[in-house]
Amino acid sequence: MLKKIIASAVLCAGAALYAYNPPAGGQNLLRISSPELLSEGASVAGGALYSVSPDSVVNNPALTAFEQRAVLNLSGTMLFDSKDESDKSVGGAFEGGILLPSRWCVSSFLVQGVFVPFYDMHLGNSFNFTANVAKDVTDKLSVGVSAELGVFYGHNSDWRGGVNLGAFYDFGEAGFFKDIRFGAVLLNIGKQLGNTTVLGITGSEASEWPGIATPKIGAAATFFEQNNFKAGASLDFSFPSFQNFVCDAGLQLLFADVIKVSSSWEYDAREFSEGSKNILPSVGVSFQFKFNSKNGSLLAKKGWEQSEMTVSGAWKQLYKNVNAVSAGAKINLGLKDTQAPEIILWGEK
């Protein structure tokens, strides 16, 4: 009897493992539309050097909870396949997002389009919408939840919808590590794409994707800081559908608080075993500058006389013949408040 039970368990586990067959890049469906998503290691801890934007919620819904300024972003990515078997050599993705802080929470909204026809990365066509709410529980801990809705077309029609849950903790310092942060998420809780005819990593028709109920954990910290130079690293682990293992590693360098260089590398065990994943890291560069709004303009009337803009670019070889080039801009409205409020008692000058 015991032998039969063990044999049945092994057969069920083997069947589940065999059923895992997303398209190449299917787990990163929403992570190719901006330079930051391509090059910053898909970090649930906010990146090697902490920064957030409306699309950060793709990695962790809790990341935006401590943002004090409204943020706008707009990005696009072109994808090129040099040797596609179907003679389709160009694809693309785009996104637009907004982040809005309030007294009670930080909300954000993100729209993304993905159009990838390649044989080596058969993601098809989809439009995706994400709404997110993040809340600080303490001055170090935050939680967040996002709701996603997507429509797929071109290779049958289908839709996906669900929620993502996340937590973020700012640990502080330990030894020579500074700004140590931890994150944990549970992604894709709900209906995923299943009625499609795109090709999976095994070459046959794809199974349900992205991986339902995917847990992910990660950490990040600054490991070197001197004068006008700072360096940080991040490391994340995820387990799509509990049938795969993915490791994301990121490295970022910041010069004079203005120029940031980012690089990341991903190991997807199942994609590597099928020979579809590349071994090259991504490269990204961003430049931040301040700009002034004219007196009487809409921004000035809102108290945003001076704001920050970050322009970014990135390159990543996603698969052997598939390269992605991305560019985008992010605007933080107003300046970060770095001075504590001054309390003056009655009678004092």
Side-chain angles (χ1 to χ4, degrees):
M1 182 66 179
L2 180 60
K3 290 182 178 180
K4 290 182 178 180
I5 294 175
I6 294 174
S8 298
V10 171
L11 286 173
C12 290
L17 191 63
Y18 180 79
Y20 183 86
N21 184 34
Q27 302 301 341
N28 293 322
L29 175 67
L30 304 182
R31 295 193 181 96
I32 62 174
S33 54
S34 80
E36 290 81 5
L37 293 175
L38 278 175
S39 65
E40 294 186 1
S43 172
V44 297
L49 299 174
Y50 180 77
S51 66
V52 298
S53 63
D55 61 7
S56 298
V57 301
V58 171
N59 296 321
N60 186 346
L63 287 177
T64 57
F66 298 108
E67 181 58 52
Q68 300 175 358
R69 297 177 291 174
V71 184
L72 307 173
N73 82 304
L74 183 65
S75 303
T77 300
M78 294 294 293
L79 296 101
F80 306 93
D81 191 330
S82 58
K83 296 180 180 179
D84 187 72
E85 294 186 11
S86 60
D87 295 326
K88 296 177 180 178
S89 59
V90 179
F94 73 87
E95 70 171 48
I98 184 171
L99 185 153
L100 300 169
S102 70
R103 289 182 58 189
W104 312 110
C105 65
V106 177
S107 56
S108 55
F109 305 91
L110 182 67
V111 176
Q112 296 169 291
V114 179
F115 317 97
V116 186
F118 311 140
Y119 178 86
D120 293 327
M121 187 181 177
H122 208 197
L123 298 183
N125 308 307
S126 64
F127 287 97
N128 304 274
F129 174 74
T130 303
N132 190 89
V133 174
K135 173 67 176 176
D136 56 314
V137 179
T138 69
D139 58 352
K140 289 183 174 293
L141 175 66
S142 66
V143 294
V145 57
S146 64
E148 293 179 348
L149 179 63
V151 292
F152 177 94
Y153 65 95
H155 299 274
N156 277 0
S157 297
D158 202 2
W159 65 278
R160 60 183 296 267
V163 299
N164 305 306
L165 306 175
F168 171 80
Y169 184 70
D170 185 354
F171 180 82
E173 299 184 10
F176 64 87
F177 289 105
K178 299 180 180 179
D179 192 26
I180 302 172
R181 292 158 278 118
F182 299 97
V185 296
L186 185 60
L187 303 171
N188 308 328
I189 308 169
K191 181 189 181 303
Q192 303 307 311
L193 298 174
N195 185 35
T196 69
T197 57
V198 297
L199 298 175
I201 55 177
T202 64
S204 60
E205 191 172 296
S207 60
E208 188 177 61
W209 59 285
I212 191 170
T214 295
K216 186 172 184 177
I217 57 174
T222 299
F223 62 83
F224 184 84
E225 183 174 5
Q226 187 172 4
N227 298 328
N228 290 321
F229 176 75
K230 184 185 295 187
S234 64
L235 186 64
D236 291 70
F237 303 103
S238 63
F239 310 89
S241 300
F242 296 95
Q243 298 176 2
N244 190 11
F245 170 74
V246 180
C247 173
D248 288 285
L251 174 68
Q252 292 183 318
L253 311 175
L254 181 64
F255 303 89
D257 290 326
V258 173
I259 299 174
K260 182 166 65 176
V261 179
S262 304
S263 183
S264 64
W265 180 75
E266 180 180 84
Y267 172 78
D268 184 308
R270 295 300 298 276
E271 290 193 359
F272 266 94
S273 69
E274 297 295 337
S276 60
K277 198 72 174 179
N278 85 91
I279 60 173
L280 296 177
S282 64
V283 178
V285 179
S286 67
F287 176 75
Q288 183 184 92
F289 61 92
K290 295 178 175 64
F291 66 93
N292 296 315
S293 303
K294 294 182 179 179
N295 292 332
S297 67
L298 178 61
L299 294 181
K301 290 179 180 178
K302 293 287 186 179
W304 300 323
E305 292 86 358
Q306 193 174 53
S307 300
E308 292 176 351
M309 174 177 281
T310 304
V311 293
S312 307
W315 166 85
K316 185 174 184 178
Q317 185 180 41
L318 295 165
Y319 298 94
K320 182 178 180 180
N321 300 314
V322 180
N323 287 268
V325 178
S326 184
K330 176 180 73 171
I331 298 177
N332 293 76
L333 297 172
L335 292 179
K336 187 180 296 184
D337 189 2
T338 58
Q339 185 175 357
E342 183 180 359
I343 300 175
I344 300 178
L345 300 178
W346 289 340
E348 293 184 347
K349 295 183 179 180

